[in-house]
Amino acid sequence: MQLQNITNQTIALAGIAQVAVLVQQLATTGTCDQQAMEASIGSVLKIDSDGVAEIYGGLAGLKLGFEQLSGQINGEKMPNPDQARYAASMVFLEKKLTDRKDFLSTIQAGIVKAQAQSEQFGLLHENVLANLGDLYHTTISTLQPRIMVNGEQQYLSSHGTANKIRALLLAGIRSALLWKQCGGSRWKFIFYRKKIQAELQYLLKQI
């Protein structure tokens, strides 16, 4: 499977953008787009896939991410500083994580456990989210700089919401890894914005 092309890079970018939106939604309202969350959390558990889009259960699972990314690139949506910070931090932490083989082994074992849990209870069951959230908490959240999530304290102090946010951030790291595997880089994002925007419009039409 040829990974390094503009289509796959755009899909992975949308994966990062989608997580940033979902984290902000949870932190500020206590709820989020369930279909988008299911696609993002599902991407963590999809180890082997026939294509990049299938990691998210198909293009429709990334509709929120595509729309958000497209709106930001073409200027239709005002950039949200928290979402931008979450996205940039996930890309940065993915680089640091690759140097921690012990963390990678822990995460891999935890994902295998979460896969079994999701088959038994369902993808968004609290046991699955708690497992993935704990994985993030004991590994990636110990790396610096930590991602500080802004929002309403009543939601951030909820154990269930905190697990969802951490599980989603793990999904965002997964998308950041995919972005790199597909040939993505900061320079490519800067210089290929028109190509990425055109690809976003094409992909949205396929949904």
Side-chain angles (χ1 to χ4, degrees), residues 74-103:
N74 65 24
E76 289 179 1
K77 292 188 178 183
M78 287 290 291
N80 181 284
D82 284 334
Q83 290 179 21
R85 180 169 55 81
Y86 300 152
S89 297
M90 287 184 282
V91 172
F92 181 77
L93 286 173
E94 184 278 325
K95 292 179 182 177
K96 298 195 78 171
L97 180 62
T98 56
D99 295 329
R100 293 297 302 265
K101 304 302 181 188
D102 54 337
F103 282 1

Side-chain angles (χ1 to χ4, degrees), residues 12-13 16 56 85-104 107 136 139-147 168-186:
L13 268 181
I16 298 170
Y56 302 93
R85 180 169 55 81
Y86 300 152
S89 297
M90 287 184 282
V91 172
F92 181 77
L93 286 173
E94 184 278 325
K95 292 179 182 177
K96 298 195 78 171
L97 180 62
T98 56
D99 295 329
R100 293 297 302 265
K101 304 302 181 188
D102 54 337
F103 282 1
L104 291 170
I107 291 170
Y136 178 86
T139 57
I140 297 167
S141 74
T142 65
L143 300 173
Q144 297 298 325
R146 292 179 62 186
I147 299 177
L168 282 167
L169 290 173
L170 185 62
I173 300 285
R174 162 77 160 121
S175 289
L177 171 62
L178 192 61
W179 159 247
K180 185 172 71 176
Q181 289 174 331
C182 292
S185 67
R186 185 174 64 165

Side-chain angles (χ1 to χ4, degrees), residues 16-207:
I16 298 170
Q18 181 157 292
V19 163
V21 176
L22 292 170
V23 167
Q24 192 204 26
Q25 286 179 348
L26 282 168
T28 57
T29 70
T31 61
C32 68
D33 184 314
Q34 289 298 292
Q35 182 182 358
M37 182 176 177
E38 190 167 328
S40 292
I41 296 297
S43 72
V44 180
L45 306 185
K46 206 73 173 282
I47 304 299
D48 298 310
S49 176
D50 293 331
V52 173
E54 291 310 308
I55 290 172
Y56 302 93
L59 293 176
L62 283 175
K63 187 172 186 287
L64 177 66
F66 288 138
E67 291 175 343
Q68 186 68 22
L69 196 57
S70 178
Q72 288 178 348
I73 291 178
N74 65 24
E76 289 179 1
K77 292 188 178 183
M78 287 290 291
N80 181 284
D82 284 334
Q83 290 179 21
R85 180 169 55 81
Y86 300 152
S89 297
M90 287 184 282
V91 172
F92 181 77
L93 286 173
E94 184 278 325
K95 292 179 182 177
K96 298 195 78 171
L97 180 62
T98 56
D99 295 329
R100 293 297 302 265
K101 304 302 181 188
D102 54 337
F103 282 1
L104 291 170
S105 295
T106 299
I107 291 170
Q108 185 177 21
I111 286 172
V112 171
K113 178 183 175 183
Q115 286 173 325
Q117 288 176 317
S118 70
E119 289 171 8
Q120 183 178 358
F121 302 115
L123 181 59
L124 298 185
H125 190 274
E126 60 184 27
N127 289 4
V128 178
L129 296 172
N131 181 23
L132 294 176
D134 188 59
L135 268 183
Y136 178 86
H137 182 63
T138 57
T139 57
I140 297 167
S141 74
T142 65
L143 300 173
Q144 297 298 325
R146 292 179 62 186
I147 299 177
M148 304 303 292
V149 176
N150 291 332
E152 299 294 328
Q153 194 55 41
Q154 60 177 316
Y155 304 126
L156 294 175
S157 60
S158 162
H159 192 61
T161 302
N163 281 335
K164 289 177 183 177
I165 288 173
R166 288 168 178 159
L168 282 167
L169 290 173
L170 185 62
I173 300 285
R174 162 77 160 121
S175 289
L177 171 62
L178 192 61
W179 159 247
K180 185 172 71 176
Q181 289 174 331
C182 292
S185 67
R186 185 174 64 165
W187 295 112
K188 190 158 285 187
F189 181 66
I190 293 170
F191 292 114
Y192 283 42
R193 286 173 75 91
K194 286 187 177 179
K195 285 186 177 182
I196 292 170
Q197 177 61 17
E199 191 63 29
L200 283 166
Q201 295 306 307
Y202 171 76
L203 292 170
L204 277 166
K205 289 177 182 177
Q206 308 307 305
I207 297 174

